[in-house]
Amino acid sequence: MSTWTLIRRNLSRNRLRTILTTLAIAFSIFLVCAVMTLPSVRNTILERSANGLRLVTHHKYGVSFDGIPLAYVQQIRALPHVTHVTHMTWFGGMYAEPKDFFPNYAVDAETIGEVLSDFHIDAAILEEFKKRRDSALVGERTMRKFGWKIGQEVTLRDSPWFNLTLSFKIIGEIPPDSAMAATIFLFPRTYFEEALKPYEAFGATGEITMMMLMVDAPENVPGVITAIDDKFRNSATPTVTETQYSFIATYLSSFDSIIRIVMLVGFLVVAAIVLIAANTAAMSVRERIGEVAVLKTIGFRRRIVFTLLLSEALFIASIGGLLGAGPAYFILNAGKSSWSPFLGPLAMFIMPVSVMIQSLFLAVLVGMLAGVIPSRGAARLNVATALRQLT
Amino acid sequence: MIEIHQVSRLYRRGVDEVHALEDVSLQIPDGTFVALMGPSGSGKSTLLNLIAGLDQPTSGVVKVGAQNLNGLSEDQLAAWRAAHVGFIFQFYNLIPVLSAIENVEVPLLLTRLAKADRRKHAELALSIVGLADRKHHLPNQLSGGEQQRVAIARAIVVDPELIVADEPTGDLDAKNADDILSLLRQLKSEFHKTVVMVTHDPRAIRYVDQTFHLEQGVLVNGATAVEHA
Ligand SMILES: Nc1ncnc2c1ncn2[C@@H]1O[C@H](COP(=O)(O)OP(=O)(O)OP(=O)(O)O)[C@@H](O)[C@H]1O
Ligand SMILES: [Mg+2]
């Protein structure tokens, strides 16, 4: 037998009580994790509304009907409240078989990173993309589909239009953060235009498929949409401009105070759990005050008795903490996994490791606070008096 | 040798003062089995607690072996008890969640013995009290007499010079009381322990070497040597 045996047996004295106390702590720590992760929910919503600042302009009758003049880009860039403009042109290249379709665009290497910031393309790779005319950025899923590696040369063929065959060097992979990003294939427009030189006479070089632009603030979005579409309404190439997401930016200011209230409630729950756990610890010590007196009689010093009893509370609290923070970490990070489309609002939680560590510390603190007073009281017990009460 | 010299113990309850012991002097030679007797409230337990280092006298000197117990701190007394005193209580006071052998091992947790050695010492102590075959039983699976024998094994496991027992037979029937008393006598005769026992049990006279009678905190007879047949 060891001291650890003694602690363990004491915990198993009243199994139901030990289990319930552990679960109460686990539950409250889970709650704390969720509450401390709430700011990340707000950030996720903010990110989505930032996407709401992005507009797409294309031909009034659709992207597949016809392109729009490249010259529009400069005109739109000049509009008030428009911060960034980039453009994409459909290439329609195929790799091996026509059925292995994936979207590929010639893009403006200089501006693409500013507008498609949610593609999370590495800054260094973007720099290289601007410099190397035949470079290509490819979505993760398309890379995997064809078994491509970074640095590999690939050749795409564009059959129906100009019968172009272009070779690219893959310099970077686009993370699969959205369905669009996962499959896309991007290369610099300069390379495309060189290849199109022989067809300049057909007006092939002055066209783009669509423009993407950023507006400075949510409230200016409707105005910018009308301004663009009005500008080209009576031209030979009228346009339609759309937001990618409808957004809820106005809610966000009130969201902050709700978070504060919910966090407060969460911590009050923890405080309540501390009181309940302290009562439980006090009860479990009181029940065996006679045994404590015997231990002290046979020579267990204050500090040893204190440590022995406090370890019980710390053990319960630590297990409770792990049972709360562990599952919380997995459940509240499920939004990052492939389950995310099925999780609804849960997908907006992203629990950082720091929250897990903090909540484990909190659990240990709960054990301390709950255990310290009863353990101290028992450790300071006057043996002679306690033994009298035993008989 | 246990030396009690002009010891008084005063309890204060508000303005009331209780003289639990008044100017008691006595000596107990090493390797004797003595009984403290007297009516309820006469100060027997108070005296036993002083001898065992559980309490300090209001005045007077308590010396056990070479150790003067006066003025030791709580922790020093605890360390001294752990090494030199074995305790036996009226209600056995075993830890209910530990088996017999584990209960006997508890005092050894305070020593430097390795785990396997702790087990060996405990097994030896249990075999001395005749319970080697019940070592894995929990206290509630043992009779009162058996539990008291486990408690005696726990008291002797660190091999202390002094064993103190407060009414060890108080909760037992005649048969079991005789068993416990002869076991205590055996500790004295075979293992040369000094055994100090508080008792109301007249049967005890046949087992002890000497009795001390207390009445209202005062030693009334000095020492009565008991003749053994
Ligand atoms: N902690 C205490 N506070 C106040 N009075 C006490 C305390 N301990 C003992 N006394 C008093 O001291 C006297 C002696 O008590 P003690 O326990 O030594 O008697 P005892 O001889 O062991 O009695 P019993 O046979 O009933 O166990 C009693 O009057 C008791 O009330
Ligand atoms: Mg008594």
Side-chain angles (χ1 to χ4, degrees):
Chain A
M1 194 203 58
S2 61
T3 312
W4 170 234
T5 317
L6 192 56
I7 294 170
R8 225 179 45 226
R9 295 286 176 79
N10 278 331
L11 287 170
S12 63
R13 229 167 243 265
N14 192 332
R15 273 213 185 82
L16 185 64
R17 181 166 65 196
T18 302
I19 291 171
L20 288 178
T21 312
T22 310
L23 289 181
I25 292 173
F27 186 74
S28 70
I29 291 299
F30 184 96
L31 201 74
V32 163
C33 288
V35 161
M36 299 211 307
T37 307
L38 273 181
S40 82
V41 176
R42 181 200 44 203
N43 291 347
T44 312
I45 293 174
L46 268 175
E47 233 168 67
R48 290 193 181 178
S49 65
N51 286 346
L53 295 174
R54 187 161 66 209
L55 303 181
V56 180
T57 300
H58 52 75
H59 195 283
K60 187 174 181 181
Y61 302 128
V63 280
S64 52
F65 179 81
D66 203 355
I68 50 178
L70 179 61
Y72 281 13
V73 173
Q74 283 314 321
Q75 297 183 43
I76 288 179
R77 203 164 268 151
L79 287 177
H81 306 302
V82 173
T83 56
H84 302 284
V85 185
T86 193
H87 52 85
M88 301 171 81
T89 305
W90 183 252
F91 173 50
M94 282 169 302
Y95 184 54
E97 301 275 320
K99 68 175 167 57
D100 293 330
F101 166 83
F102 57 92
N104 43 81
Y105 292 95
V107 299
D108 180 17
E110 293 299 324
T111 53
I112 190 80
E114 295 162 358
V115 178
L116 295 184
S117 57
D118 56 341
F119 275 28
H120 303 296
I121 303 169
D122 190 78
I125 292 175
L126 266 179
E127 279 313 303
E128 195 185 342
F129 189 62
K130 288 176 194 171
K131 287 189 195 110
R132 193 182 164 106
R133 49 187 270 286
D134 65 342
S135 58
L137 300 172
V138 185
E140 186 263 353
R141 212 169 294 163
T142 297
M143 292 282 276
R144 205 150 28 90
K145 181 174 174 187
F146 297 113
W148 291 343
K149 301 272 170 299
I150 287 173
Q152 186 174 340
E153 292 229 2
V154 297
T155 302
L156 301 189
R157 198 162 33 84
D158 139 42
S159 61
W161 282 284
F162 306 106
N163 202 15
L164 292 179
T165 299
L166 297 179
S167 289
F168 305 95
K169 184 169 184 210
I170 301 174
I171 62 159
E173 184 173 296
I174 302 169
D177 292 339
S178 68
M180 186 184 173
T183 55
I184 209 162
F185 183 110
L186 304 176
F187 59 93
R189 182 178 173 87
T190 40
Y191 186 43
F192 187 53
E193 287 197 350
E194 271 172 40
L196 283 176
K197 272 261 159 59
Y199 310 96
E200 210 167 355
F202 303 99
T205 50
E207 260 194 13
I208 56 175
T209 305
M210 59 186 161
M211 265 183 295
M212 300 181 109
L213 52 118
M214 302 299 296
V215 179
D216 58 1
E219 60 271 22
N220 296 326
V221 166
V224 170
I225 291 176
T226 352
I228 295 171
D229 293 342
D230 284 353
K231 194 173 185 76
F232 305 117
R233 174 147 301 143
N234 301 316
S235 73
T237 320
T239 59
V240 164
T241 303
E242 304 169 319
T243 57
Q244 282 192 315
Y245 302 94
S246 62
F247 55 88
I248 44 163
T250 39
Y251 292 1
L252 287 177
S253 49
S254 56
F255 199 70
D256 275 344
S257 47
I258 293 174
I259 286 179
R260 271 196 293 277
I261 292 167
V262 172
M263 285 179 108
L264 182 68
V265 170
F267 285 104
L268 287 178
V269 167
V270 172
I273 294 291
V274 170
L275 294 178
I276 292 167
N279 182 43
T280 309
M283 250 160 59
S284 103
V285 169
R286 208 179 310 128
E287 274 167 13
R288 53 200 153 102
I289 206 72
E291 285 165 43
V292 172
V294 170
L295 289 182
K296 287 202 70 175
T297 301
I298 64 180
F300 280 66
R301 265 169 279 163
R302 273 186 191 193
R303 172 127 26 122
I304 303 176
V305 172
F306 178 76
T307 313
L308 216 54
L309 294 175
L310 188 65
S311 321
E312 291 177 24
L314 287 180
F315 182 81
I316 289 186
S318 312
I319 297 292
L322 286 173
L323 285 180
Y329 188 73
F330 285 102
I331 292 173
L332 298 180
N333 273 321
K336 282 194 209 155
S337 72
S338 53
W339 288 95
S340 109
F342 310 108
L343 294 175
L346 204 53
M348 294 192 288
F349 283 83
I350 292 166
M351 179 175 146
V353 180
S354 64
V355 165
M356 172 136 98
I357 292 168
Q358 284 167 4
S359 64
L360 286 177
F361 269 110
L362 186 68
V364 173
L365 188 69
V366 166
M368 282 277 198
L369 291 176
V372 76
I373 291 173
S375 307
R376 209 174 98 104
R380 305 178 121 209
L381 192 70
N382 181 308
V383 196
T385 320
L387 284 178
R388 289 182 65 77
Q389 284 155 2
L390 277 186
T391 49
Chain B
M1 177 80 90
I2 298 171
E3 288 171 82
I4 305 292
H5 187 66
Q6 295 181 343
V7 161
S8 297
R9 180 66 170 97
L10 194 72
Y11 290 110
R12 281 204 182 77
R13 258 179 297 199
V15 286
D16 294 345
E17 289 188 343
V18 181
H19 293 267
L21 287 178
E22 264 191 284
D23 200 25
V24 172
S25 296
L26 58 84
Q27 296 187 342
I28 301 169
D30 287 343
T32 52
F33 182 10
V34 303
L36 303 180
M37 301 188 82
S40 185
S42 57
K44 306 181 296 293
S45 298
T46 303
L47 181 56
L48 193 72
N49 286 348
L50 291 175
I51 291 173
L54 287 171
D55 195 10
Q56 296 275 18
T58 315
S59 65
V61 178
V62 180
K63 257 180 90 176
V64 179
Q67 182 69 56
N68 187 340
L69 299 187
N70 294 65
L72 290 189
S73 71
E74 192 190 311
D75 278 357
Q76 287 169 326
L77 279 175
W80 177 78
R81 290 196 301 270
H84 300 282
V85 191
F87 288 87
I88 301 165
F89 310 91
Q90 179 176 358
F91 297 110
Y92 335 129
N93 287 322
L94 300 176
I95 295 176
V97 288
L98 297 180
S99 67
I101 185 108
E102 288 166 340
N103 264 289
V104 177
E105 280 181 64
V106 168
L108 296 175
L109 292 176
L110 297 173
T111 66
R112 286 171 197 274
L113 288 178
K115 197 171 174 176
D117 292 334
R118 297 201 293 262
R119 181 55 52 124
K120 260 189 235 147
H121 280 65
E123 275 170 349
L124 179 64
L126 267 187
S127 67
I128 288 173
V129 301
L131 280 178
D133 54 334
R134 309 295 301 273
K135 62 181 173 188
H136 294 306
H137 289 238
L138 289 173
N140 64 14
Q141 297 165 328
L142 298 170
S143 74
E146 286 164 343
Q147 287 187 56
Q148 194 60 299
R149 282 195 274 158
V150 173
I152 292 174
R154 179 177 66 186
I156 62 175
V157 73
V158 295
D159 199 22
E161 305 92 76
L162 173 62
I163 310 269
V164 298
D166 199 338
E167 303 190 31
T169 60
D171 209 43
L172 298 175
D173 61 23
K175 165 79 180 66
N176 277 303
D178 275 322
D179 286 352
I180 295 300
L181 288 168
S182 48
L183 187 52
L184 291 175
R185 171 123 196 116
Q186 189 194 346
L187 293 181
K188 172 236 146 170
S189 52
E190 266 180 51
F191 301 97
H192 313 295
K193 306 291 178 203
T194 307
V195 184
V196 182
M197 170 177 72
V198 167
T199 188
H200 283 118
D201 193 345
R203 224 186 333 252
I205 312 277
R206 288 188 276 124
Y207 294 87
V208 299
D209 301 319
Q210 219 177 348
T211 58
F212 293 94
H213 279 273
L214 286 166
E215 213 134 320
Q216 295 186 351
V218 180
L219 199 57
V220 287
N221 70 332
T224 314
V226 182
E227 290 303 317
H228 286 281

